[in-house]
Amino acid sequence: MALLAVAWSFPLAVAAGTHLAGAGFSDNANFLWNFWWMREALGSGERFFSTPYLFAPYGTDLTLHTHTALNAFAGATVFRGLSPLAALNVTILVSLFLNGFCAYLLAWRITRDIGAALVAGLVFGGSPYLAAHLNGHFNLTSAWTLPLFALAVGMVFADQQATRRATLSGSRFAAAIAAGVILGVTAYIDYYYVVYELAFAICAVLLAARDWSVAARGATPGSLRLARVFLALAIVDGVVIAGILATGGFDVTVTGVRVIARDVFNPLQALWILLTAAALARWRPAIGSQPVEGWRWPRAGVALATMAAVGAAIALPILTSGAGVILRGEYVSQRYFWRNAPKGVDAATLILGNPFHGAWGETVRASYDWLQIDPIESGAWLGIAPLILAGWAVRRYWRERTVRYWTAIAVFFFVWALGPHLRIFGYTTGMILPQTLLRYVPIAANARIPGRAIVLVTLAAAVLGAIAIARSQEPGRRRWIGVGTMGLITLLDYLPAPFPVVQVDRPPIYETLRDRPEKGALLELPVGIRDSFTSRGFLDHRALAYQIIHRRPIVGGVVSRMSPSIVAGYADDPLIDGLLDLSGRQSPTKPLPVGPAVASLLAKNGIAFVMVNRELASPELLEYVQLQLPLTLIATEGERTLYAVR
């Protein structure tokens, strides 16, 4: 698995000290900054979950940031002898290894078959989902806690009929503690994975407690008439859709009621609702369940309480910090509504191919671009061999509880990953899906990008594939040939190498800045502020990497969740507000300060230095800097000029 992780991400291992994974500087620079700030915080005794080094002069809270605190802590302690960049890349490689290894452990416990477990480790550890997020979302590449959590939860609720006591046996109590530890540790890796583990635990309890079934009860005369009514209304709605498509929309008044239809989105939603209602009335499906023999809810309650208590104890620092964010009124979450909710995976990407393959990925991404599909957040490619193996397991071994368990997990998280509306080939069908209601569920609502749930679908496919291999009746040699063939097909399907990397340079002008005796913050122009929802100005993400060199607070920056107080503070400052407008090549909305007022504002904000990137700055920004800012030239290097504030 270790060699596979190195080969899969090549050339990251050989360029660990000089390059970042990704085709350019963007979110990947945030994680490099995380590793640097962890070292600064540990060395100075400051809290890691807040920093004065971004958004000067205010600083910012990092509780809701993708801080990757666990990885950064390892980089500052275990790998303290390495540079922050090298430590980041080493932890990425370790995470890639652990992804496959932990999936192997899960599959081995279920199948007790080494070959099957190896293929499962390859399917999960080398998945296109991980390749997609290796382009910059390094928090999501540390997915190894998911199979570990599934393993621990499985040990807690396995073989419930083995004991009828209301208390946990020693091994199950230890497994519940282990699940809680994993849950707490995950809080220091990624918020999404905490949400997924909580959802997984709920699913595991429901699936272990009862045997579920779906059956059609058949139509009654009344339900059949109702189905015909719904179908007739659907036909009328279809005519309306056709009329909108033919005319481009209409605005009519019928019996005093004005009807406006500019697009088919709402009529499509109505069509799917009516068709669904007609189908339910016609077949009258019923969900049934029977209790599993030997199941005891008190015992399950003890296990869940143990998980929650241990997880909360380990995550207490971040929970405490989060409570402070809420009490200060700085909790930030995206507001979205019915039509503008974040999109899920496109169902067509199950057959479009791997967009991150090292050989043909560029061609596949071209088709994604043409269909306006985001390959990172909306891709669902699981691979040819994993789907065949998983389908074979479901078809042949459906009577096994383990197969039904993992099939239900796959279906649940795939529906989640599809998002609020079904999309196929880049087209929103208007079919409303359950994820639409997720924004009303506390905790889960902030896991706003539904497509990331495909990671649990990948894990379920890996486990089902392992079951299919383990149940094979082929004799020894032929069986290992089959295992090797499936593994090779998966490897050839998944392999993203050579993976794009970008060099992190060290411009000497930042070393000049570092060595200056003056104290104060740096204003890099153009300047920008950004979080996951909004941005202003122009942010050069390389500024985060260069801060590692000069070690001074900077004006502006990027964080996953930006406090409203920072946005308001910058908007109320006429100098920074105007510079943000000029950096974004917009006309300032307020009069720009001139004369002594500029020096006063620079001093108020603690700005001691200004770095101007002449290639990125607009002519209007350059003119304002040259005519109005009280600066003394320090050094010029390439496109950058460094000034001290007089």
Side-chain angles (χ1 to χ4, degrees):
M1 289 294 179
L3 291 176
L4 180 62
V6 171
W8 186 83
S9 60
F10 184 84
L12 188 62
V14 297
T18 57
H19 289 69
L20 264 177
F25 284 95
S26 185
D27 290 339
N28 51 2
N30 299 350
F31 298 97
L32 175 58
W33 185 90
N34 291 345
F35 273 63
W36 170 76
W37 171 237
M38 176 62 79
R39 296 188 181 197
E40 291 291 309
L42 292 178
S44 62
E46 296 190 54
R47 291 180 60 250
F48 172 74
F49 292 111
S50 63
T51 180
Y53 280 85
L54 297 176
F55 302 101
Y58 307 107
T60 187
D61 191 275
L62 299 176
T63 307
L64 301 178
H65 181 53
T66 49
H67 46 69
T68 51
L70 179 67
N71 296 23
F73 183 78
T77 54
V78 179
F79 303 115
R80 62 183 179 274
L82 303 175
S83 68
L85 175 58
L88 168 62
N89 286 327
V90 169
T91 59
I92 289 174
L93 292 170
V94 171
S95 294
L96 295 179
F97 159 72
L98 289 175
N99 293 335
F101 180 68
C102 293
Y104 165 86
L105 293 178
L106 172 64
W108 184 85
R109 184 187 178 278
I110 293 172
T111 65
R112 296 292 197 258
D113 187 292
I114 293 178
L118 285 172
V119 173
L122 175 61
V123 170
F124 184 73
S127 65
Y129 167 87
L130 294 173
H133 293 291
L134 188 58
N135 281 275
H137 299 156
F138 302 149
N139 53 323
L140 299 176
T141 61
S142 294
W144 51 271
T145 61
L146 297 175
L148 270 190
F149 185 79
L151 174 60
V153 168
M155 293 173 67
V156 173
F157 298 116
D159 303 324
Q160 290 292 329
Q161 65 272 23
T163 175
R164 295 178 180 275
R165 294 180 300 164
T167 58
L168 289 174
S169 65
S171 61
R172 288 190 177 85
F173 185 70
I177 293 176
V181 170
I182 298 165
L183 182 64
V185 166
T186 305
Y188 298 96
I189 296 177
D190 185 71
Y191 180 84
Y192 279 82
Y193 291 168
V194 173
V195 173
Y196 295 159
E197 287 174 3
L198 291 173
F200 186 96
I202 294 172
C203 289
V205 171
L206 294 177
L207 293 171
R210 305 186 73 84
D211 281 320
W212 300 85
S213 63
V214 179
R217 292 175 294 175
T220 64
S223 68
L224 197 57
R225 286 193 295 271
L226 189 60
R228 290 168 180 163
V229 170
F230 286 132
L231 188 58
L233 291 174
I235 293 173
V236 173
D237 189 59
V239 172
V240 172
I241 292 173
I244 295 173
L245 292 175
T247 63
F250 50 80
D251 182 347
V252 298
T253 300
V254 181
T255 63
V257 178
R258 188 180 181 187
V259 180
I260 303 175
R262 301 299 185 195
D263 57 49
V264 299
F265 185 79
N266 289 333
L268 275 174
Q269 291 188 111
L271 177 64
W272 285 112
I273 292 173
L274 291 169
L275 290 176
T276 301
L280 292 175
R282 170 61 181 83
W283 285 285
R284 299 176 65 233
I287 298 177
S289 68
Q290 296 292 330
V292 173
E293 182 182 358
W295 177 267
R296 293 294 181 269
W297 278 107
R299 186 169 66 241
V302 172
L304 292 173
T306 301
M307 289 183 207
V310 173
I314 292 177
L316 187 60
I318 197 169
L319 291 175
T320 303
S321 186
V325 170
I326 295 173
L327 292 174
R328 294 192 302 270
E330 295 180 354
Y331 180 81
V332 179
S333 182
Q334 184 185 32
R335 293 188 64 191
Y336 55 86
F337 301 98
W338 193 259
R339 298 187 61 161
N340 66 343
K343 299 174 182 177
V345 299
D346 190 301
T349 58
L350 287 168
I351 61 173
L352 287 178
N354 182 0
F356 298 100
H357 194 277
W360 54 79
E362 186 175 352
T363 302
V364 177
R365 286 196 301 276
S367 67
Y368 276 55
D369 291 341
W370 183 68
L371 295 170
Q372 297 182 336
I373 300 173
D374 178 4
I376 294 179
E377 301 292 7
S378 295
W381 179 253
L382 299 176
I384 299 172
L387 279 180
I388 292 175
L389 289 172
W392 179 260
V394 172
R395 181 174 181 274
R396 288 291 301 271
Y397 309 111
W398 179 252
R399 292 184 178 276
E400 295 187 20
R401 282 183 56 82
T402 303
V403 172
R404 297 198 302 273
Y405 175 95
W406 282 101
T407 301
I409 293 293
V411 171
F412 175 82
F413 282 99
F414 184 69
V415 172
W416 186 339
L418 286 172
H421 298 92
L422 178 65
R423 296 172 65 240
I424 302 177
F425 293 106
Y427 181 74
T428 301
T429 65
M431 179 187 289
I432 303 172
L433 298 175
Q435 201 273 339
T436 300
L437 304 176
L438 194 66
R439 67 189 180 98
Y440 300 108
V441 180
I443 300 177
N446 221 21
R448 63 187 186 88
I449 302 178
R452 294 177 180 178
I454 201 71
V455 65
L456 266 301
V457 182
T458 305
L459 181 62
V463 172
L464 290 170
I467 293 173
I469 293 173
R471 300 295 188 273
S472 171
Q473 301 299 316
E474 294 291 334
R477 184 175 180 181
R478 290 177 58 184
R479 183 176 178 281
W480 278 105
I481 291 175
V483 169
T485 301
M486 283 299 178
L488 182 60
I489 292 173
T490 302
L491 180 62
L492 293 176
D493 184 355
Y494 281 3
L495 191 63
F499 202 87
V501 294
V502 58
Q503 184 173 6
V504 180
D505 59 340
R506 292 182 59 90
I509 196 168
Y510 288 98
E511 297 178 356
T512 301
L513 172 61
R514 177 196 61 200
D515 297 336
R516 295 287 298 190
E518 300 93 334
K519 303 297 182 182
L522 170 67
L523 170 62
E524 290 224 37
L525 295 174
V527 64
I529 59 175
R530 176 183 162 238
D531 67 2
S532 298
F533 311 137
T534 59
S535 64
R536 272 197 74 192
F538 177 87
L539 179 66
D540 185 354
H541 286 78
R542 292 176 297 176
L544 300 176
Y546 297 150
Q547 190 177 39
I548 298 175
I549 304 172
H550 64 73
R551 302 164 64 90
R552 296 177 182 272
I554 61 173
V555 177
V558 57
V559 70
S560 297
R561 302 291 187 271
M562 186 162 45
S563 169
S565 63
I566 295 175
V567 178
Y570 279 176
D572 291 339
D573 187 297
L575 176 61
I576 296 180
D577 184 66
L579 290 174
L580 285 169
D581 284 336
L582 290 175
S583 297
R585 298 180 180 269
Q586 298 176 345
S587 299
T589 56
K590 304 172 186 175
L592 289 166
V594 296
V598 178
S600 176
L601 289 168
L602 288 169
K604 171 191 168 187
N605 292 314
I607 299 171
F609 300 94
V610 175
M611 182 82 74
V612 180
N613 188 316
R614 299 183 305 280
E615 288 188 359
L616 298 179
S618 66
E620 293 78 12
L621 177 59
L622 290 175
E623 180 181 11
Y624 181 75
V625 170
Q626 293 166 359
L627 295 180
Q628 301 299 336
L629 269 62
L631 304 176
T632 299
L633 177 65
I634 296 177
T636 296
E637 178 192 326
E639 72 276 15
R640 295 184 179 89
T641 301
L642 174 63
Y643 300 93
V645 175
R646 290 198 302 270

